[in-house]
């Protein structure tokens, strides 16, 4: 029988992700036995590192002084269908969310189908409404129980009679034909630049304000997320072409304009009311997220579950990091679908409890408020009610520990620049035009950061002010192709001021208008210069040659690589002019088949593959290839190690929190009102990269260390999921404790005196 340790070790040698799955198949079979808690330090890597002291504590948050929208901690939604007025038990619905301690519920007004006897022209009544005031009954049932009500609208679609009267409301294809909903073609798509948004939507809002007591307004289905509209109506045909930087600015202007308009209408009834719209789309977003962060009172991340295109389990916490990058502590929530998301999907059927719970875990860990969502109330409150107990139990747990989820700031020493404009508008390099290009790049660096258990934040490229980025020891630029001159200048100043920078491939090769520069905007900072256009591959990436003076310099970066002159390179690269002392140089890719020809015609070049530079107290590391994406595509452990080693060199091996133990986890560390909180999400699971969680692979001890600095007195360390206290020791300013074991999630809540 295969010895487990050997099995895991041998799996390790060939990569990161696929081996995880195979190692887990072994582990899962024996989960629960002592042997299952075998040390995985090989798999995780030696996190090592020196502890950097925590930043000084911020000011206390007086929760009672915040507007009500910022005090919301739990959000409930049973998304109403046209049939619900015929079947839904309103009292049971309200009682469920009340028992779950939801602060606020969404009730559908809509705009596609009215849930009340609306008199607004073209606000069609649902066919089961029959004159009933279903919306009003739901509002009353919620308010009676002390829950706030969000009036939910959908301005994205309407019916043929509206189209006949207002052909100018429709989104048009290039040939002038009407754009229609894919599942119900009778519904046409409304254009956000048309009077539909200026007249029809405000008319509904004012009607609601005149008839009901609601707390705020929300639009579902608008603005679009993750991609930009492509409309050719008479208004839009005068705008810049879709998917261009110029269009993106006009699009964001319009979103912000309508947002302000709707917000003012909400406030016509009462000043504390407000408007918010659908958001999310993670790093791609929709509107410019730096601008949206200033506008939004409530960031509603419509990111309900894994999708076929984005099958990784961390999709929700990644969204949370995006919110943290732009909201300055304002309210954000992520919608967790209790129903079966994905494609194919089932709107009225529960998903697996392990998966739904993990999405809620990620919401809380990444600093957002949990939001649970089911669609339809067939049979009174759903024919499938399995999701309800889960939601109730989870919400109650968060209510019990609310203070520890009141975050002041994230504790992290690495910032990853998300490059929203690149994510949305850059089509990939000339050598690999694929709409998945940046997604794969982002997932590559994300996965690598998780494996290394680094504490990191996302940073928006329009928010590179020194006061924001000086808190990070290093910034990472994973192929952030589009950067303006001003943004490059900010990054240059950051390095002069002692900050460190990692960049790759086409980073800064384009300006904010997607105009290609003659050389990288950050050429000087990294000490590099472009020698030609991007070079792709026929499937055989370049190799990286370890230069012979390895013994004398940057030992950290080559740590763990012995007995080889070669390392994997990447699939695509922008060739660089020779530099004085590259650490790695390019061996161009060559033939794979036939094997007779699988050798390098050119065994050594002076073309740099990795350039290191130290200047002005800062360090800079440049990869000429798309190493993050190539790591993602291949799972090659050498690339993972190379990225880890480079990050350690850039940060001078400093960590703000060290968590050592077996398993693949995502880590968050927060300064909270009572003290601090370390959140660990356990992704050690066969379904981490695909499918749904259907099991929990229990993890063994996790040793946590952090330097809270001298003078801080710790009163208690409580493990909120395990529901017990942990023994801890304080030496100087250093706090140490052990989480003895964990299931899918643990929160170590540290209370200080
Ligand atoms: Zn249009």
């Amino acid at each position: 029988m295969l010895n487990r340790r050997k099995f895991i070790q041998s799996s390790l040698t060939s990569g990161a992700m696929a081996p995880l799955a195979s190692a887990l198949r072994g582990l899962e079979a024996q989960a629960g036995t002592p042997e299952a808690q075998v040390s995985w330090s090989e798999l995780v890597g030696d996190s090592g590192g020196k502890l950097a002291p925590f930043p000084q504590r911020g000011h206390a948050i007086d929760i009672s002084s915040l507007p009500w929208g910022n005090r919301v901690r739990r959000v409930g939604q049973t998304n109403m269908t046209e049939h619900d007025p015929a079947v839904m038990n309103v009292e049971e619905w309200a009682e469920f969310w009340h028992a779950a301690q939801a602060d606020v519920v969404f009730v559908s007004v809509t705009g596609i189908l009215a849930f009340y006897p609306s008199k607004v022209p073209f606000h069609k009544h649902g066919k089961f409404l029959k004159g009933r005031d279903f919306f009003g009954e739901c509002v009353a049932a919620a308010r009676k129980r002390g829950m706030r009500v969000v009036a939910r609208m959908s301005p994205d679609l309407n019916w043929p009679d509206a189209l006949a009267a207002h052909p100018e409301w429709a989104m048009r294809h290039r040939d002038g034909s009407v754009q229609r909903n894919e599942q119900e073609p009778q519904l046409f798509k409304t254009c956000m630049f048309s009077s539909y948004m200026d007249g029809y939507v405000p008319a509904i809002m004012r009607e609601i304000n005149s008839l009901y007591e609601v707390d705020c307004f929300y639009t579902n289905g608008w603005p679009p997320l993750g991609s930009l509209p492509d409309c050719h109506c008479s208004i839009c045909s005068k705008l810049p072409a879709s998917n261009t930087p110029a269009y993106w600015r006009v699009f964001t202007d319009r979103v912000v304009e309508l947002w302000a308009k709707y917000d003012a209408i909400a406030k016509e009834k009462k000043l504390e009311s407000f408007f918010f719209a659908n958001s999310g789309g993670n790093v791609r977003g929709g509107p410019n997220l730096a601008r949206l962060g200033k506008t939004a009172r409530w960031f509603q991340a419509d990111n309900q579950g894994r999708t076929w295109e984005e099958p990784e389990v961390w999709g929700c916490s990644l969204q949370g990091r995006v919110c943290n990058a732009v909201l300055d502590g304002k309210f954000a929530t992520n919608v967790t679908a209790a129903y079966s998301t994905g494609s194919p999907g089932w709107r009225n059927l529960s998903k697996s409890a392990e998966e739904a719970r993990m999405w809620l875990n990620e919401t809380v860990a990444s600093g957002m408020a949990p939001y649970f969502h089911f669609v339809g109330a067939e049979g009174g409150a759903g024919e499938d009610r399995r999701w309800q107990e889960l939601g109730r139990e989870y919400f109650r747990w968060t209510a019990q520990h609310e203070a520890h989820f009141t975050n002041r700031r994230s504790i992290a020493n690495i910032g990853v620049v998300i490059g929203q404009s690149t994510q949305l508008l850059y089509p990939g390099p000339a050598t690999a035009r694929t709409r998945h290009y940046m997604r794969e790049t982002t997932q590559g660096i994300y996965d690598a950061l998780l494996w290394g258990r680094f504490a990191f934040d996302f940073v928006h490229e329009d928010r590179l002010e020194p006061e924001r980025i000086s808190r990070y020891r290093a910034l990472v630029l994973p192929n952030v192709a589009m950067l303006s001159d001003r943004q490059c200048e900010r990054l240059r100043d950051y390095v002069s001021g002692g900050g460190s920078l990692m960049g790759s491939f086409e980073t800064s090769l384009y300006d904010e208008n997607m105009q290609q520069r003659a050389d990288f905007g950050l050429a000087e900072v990294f000490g590099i210069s472009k020698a030609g256009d991007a070079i792709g591959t026929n499937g055989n990436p370049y190799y990286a040659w370890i230069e012979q003076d390895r013994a004398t310099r940057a030992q950290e970066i080559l740590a763990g690589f012995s007995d080889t002159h070669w390392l994997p390179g990447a699939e695509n690269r922008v060739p660089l002019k020779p530099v004085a002392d590259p650490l790695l140089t390019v061996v161009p890719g060559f033939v794979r088949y036939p094997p007779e020809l699988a050798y390098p015609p050119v065994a050594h070049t002076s073309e740099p593959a990795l350039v290191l530079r130290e200047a002005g107290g800062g360090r800079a590391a440049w990869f000429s290839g798309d190493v993050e994406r190539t790591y993602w595509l291949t799972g090659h452990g050498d690339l993972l190690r190379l990225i880890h080693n480079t990050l350690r060199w850039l940060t001078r091996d400093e960590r703000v929190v060290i968590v050592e133990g077996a398993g693949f986890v995502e880590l968050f560390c927060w300064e909270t009102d009572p003290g601090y909180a370390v959140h660990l999400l356990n992704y050690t699971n066969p379904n981490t990269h695909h499918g749904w969680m259907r099991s929990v692979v229990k993890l063994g001890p996790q040793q946590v260390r952090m330097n809270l600095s001298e003078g801080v007195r710790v009163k208690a360390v409580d493990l909120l999921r395990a529901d017990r206290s942990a023994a801890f020791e304080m030496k100087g300013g250093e706090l140490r404790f052990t989480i003895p074991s964990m299931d899918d999630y643990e929160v170590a809540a540290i209370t200080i005196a």
Side-chain angles (χ1 to χ4, degrees), residues 232-252:
H232 300 269
C233 76
S234 62
I235 298 171
C236 293
S237 52
K238 296 189 189 77
L239 302 177
S242 181
N243 292 316
T244 60
Y247 180 82
W248 190 40
R249 285 190 276 274
V250 173
F251 167 80
T252 299

Side-chain angles (χ1 to χ4, degrees), residues 168 170-172 191-194 231-237:
E168 75 282 8
M171 288 182 79
R172 303 272 166 177
C191 176
M192 64 176 262
F193 287 92
S194 75
C231 176
H232 300 269
C233 76
S234 62
I235 298 171
C236 293
S237 52

